[in-house]
Amino acid sequence: LIQVKDLYKIYQMGNVEVRALDGVSVDIESNEYISIMGPSGSGKSTLMNLIGCLDTPTSGDFFMDGVNVATMTDDELAHIRNKQIGFVFQTFNLLPKSTSLRNVELPLIYNGSIKASERKGMAISALERVGLGDRTHHKPNELSGGQRQRVAVARALVNDPAIILADEPTGNLDSKTGEEIMALFDDLHQQGNTIILVTHEEHIAAHANRVVRLLDGKISEDVLTHRA
Amino acid sequence: LIQVKDLYKIYQMGNVEVRALDGVSVDIESNEYISIMGPSGSGKSTLMNLIGCLDTPTSGDFFMDGVNVATMTDDELAHIRNKQIGFVFQTFNLLPKSTSLRNVELPLIYNGSIKASERKGMAISALERVGLGDRTHHKPNELSGGQRQRVAVARALVNDPAIILADEPTGNLDSKTGEEIMALFDDLHQQGNTIILVTHEEHIAAHANRVVRLLDGKISEDVLTHRA
Ligand SMILES: Nc1ncnc2c1ncn2[C@@H]1O[C@H](COP(=O)(O)OP(=O)(O)OP(=O)(O)O)[C@@H](O)[C@H]1O
Ligand SMILES: Nc1ncnc2c1ncn2[C@@H]1O[C@H](COP(=O)(O)OP(=O)(O)OP(=O)(O)O)[C@@H](O)[C@H]1O
Ligand SMILES: [Mg+2]
Ligand SMILES: [Mg+2]
């Protein structure tokens, strides 16, 4: 499904080189449930943004379903980003002037085949699944930090994408609410979706069955874990 | 030091009333180390913003050193916010176009008595204390999520404020980096500062010696905990 080969992401800051990714290779099959861990600054979000086709590497190859992403047209990339991948950003990236409902509807608007009346129903049900059925008309600054995070989760799931990339989806949530969100990801995995999750919390990573650890832009460990 | 009496914060959303705080009373002595916990949306950030003099309540009283904050002039409030309180925001609130160094220097610029050359040295040492001595010239979008959070911590501490209000200061940090930041707060508490910390992680709350739990805008528990 996803093949990353020798990926580098290097930033030139004046005369200093920052190697966010320093040669990363990983293969991900369909319907895997992977957690990406590692210290702050080790390259987790950088790797997620590359897999999510939101950024381009400095060098290295990245294949989706056998096709090299570097050879794809903008339309093909947009299709992957909007239809195949659901992305939960570490910084939520909600539209500040839109309500929760409008924010969650956004991926459905790009998906031209869904009628407006259907969109609203799908967005409301996604918000209910993350426990925010009573916050549909709140704008982001009228929500708590964890509520904004959950709107970002609802937006990523509303289009029922095959691959879900979630960057620290429970960082602002208390344990009970965090486990409710993880139950959603577990369900989606059971239904055949591929889940890739960045987390720094071991009990959240325990939901996955493979852990990829990054350290200073390199993979320091890639192990299958046994789920109870 | 801090006395909160019957505080309410109510938002009117059309015909729905949202009670972010629904009658909260709490007394905080000097040099206490308190963690505030509770589910997502329970009112933790709202309470922190009121204690940090960044917001005004709908009703109720709030005294700092025996003086009712509602009777203070804007200058007196600004003095408290800039000199007595260091605030780590849940959303970091860094200036996007300024480097880490400039962001951390900001509270020192308000403090008219510090020379420019001194300011730079204080800001660099604050960034070194949070492990970001090699990221002084990065702007926020050139940093990882956890690095931005640590710049926000450095900015809150640089002025050596008597009271530190930290809203989820380790939400984006791996355990090791999180513990390094907690060691900073522990040190400041040992030196006589008052620390009030919102967290959803029990092992982070364990650094404090009192836990105040919020539930639906009310205090559900307020207990002293025994630190090892
Ligand atoms: N400007 C606003 N208008 C309307 N409702 C608001 C506003 N700000 C906050 N709220 C509501 O008030 C409640 C408390 O918000 P608050 O940010 O204090 O929660 P919190 O405990 O910090 O949550 P989290 O752990 O998710 O950060 C939430 O349910 C939120 O939706
Ligand atoms: N635009 C940029 N310019 C320069 N350096 C950058 C840029 N973006 C990221 N970096 C650096 O690349 C490294 C990796 O960043 P990344 O966001 O991937 O880390 P992360 O593992 O997600 O960290 P965290 O757990 O704190 O979110 C960091 O050290 C960061 O400072
Ligand atoms: Mg990150
Ligand atoms: Mg909050």
Side-chain angles (χ1 to χ4, degrees), chain A residues 13 18 38-41 90-91 135 137-138 142 144-148 150 170-175 177 200-201, chain B residues 13 18 38-41 90-91 135 137-138 142 144-148 150 168 170-175 177 200-201:
Chain A
M13 307 285 293
V18 175
S40 174
Q90 187 172 8
T91 48
R135 293 282 184 274
H137 296 300
H138 286 232
E142 296 170 338
S144 79
Q147 289 170 341
R148 284 193 291 270
R150 285 182 277 159
T170 63
N172 279 277
L173 301 178
D174 59 288
S175 349
T177 312
H200 65 273
E201 297 178 274
Chain B
M13 307 285 292
V18 176
S40 172
Q90 186 171 8
T91 47
R135 292 282 184 276
H137 296 300
H138 286 233
E142 295 169 339
S144 78
Q147 290 170 340
R148 285 192 290 270
R150 286 183 278 160
E168 294 280 1
T170 62
N172 279 276
L173 302 177
D174 59 287
S175 339
T177 312
H200 65 275
E201 297 178 274

Side-chain angles (χ1 to χ4, degrees), chain B residues 106-177:
Chain B
L106 205 62
L108 303 176
I109 294 172
Y110 286 123
N111 183 340
S113 58
I114 300 177
K115 284 180 308 204
S117 56
E118 242 180 277
R119 265 193 336 240
K120 196 170 169 193
M122 289 168 79
I124 289 174
S125 107
L127 280 167
E128 283 171 346
R129 284 166 81 194
V130 297
L132 292 177
D134 60 348
R135 292 282 184 276
T136 53
H137 296 300
H138 286 233
K139 297 199 177 81
N141 69 337
E142 295 169 339
L143 292 170
S144 78
Q147 290 170 340
R148 285 192 290 270
Q149 186 158 41
R150 286 183 278 160
V151 172
V153 171
R155 183 183 62 187
L157 305 184
V158 74
N159 220 353
D160 198 14
I163 303 168
I164 290 150
L165 300 176
D167 196 343
E168 294 280 1
T170 62
N172 279 276
L173 302 177
D174 59 287
S175 339
K176 183 164 166 292
T177 312

Side-chain angles (χ1 to χ4, degrees), chain A residues 44-46 90 167-168 198, chain B residues 144-146 172:
Chain A
K44 304 180 295 295
S45 297
T46 304
Q90 187 172 8
D167 196 343
E168 295 279 2
V198 169
Chain B
S144 78
N172 279 276

Side-chain angles (χ1 to χ4, degrees), chain A residues 173-193:
Chain A
L173 301 178
D174 59 288
S175 349
K176 183 163 167 291
T177 312
E179 285 302 329
E180 285 165 13
I181 295 301
M182 289 313 296
L184 279 181
F185 292 127
D186 292 355
D187 274 359
L188 289 162
H189 177 246
Q190 289 293 326
Q191 291 163 28
N193 295 287

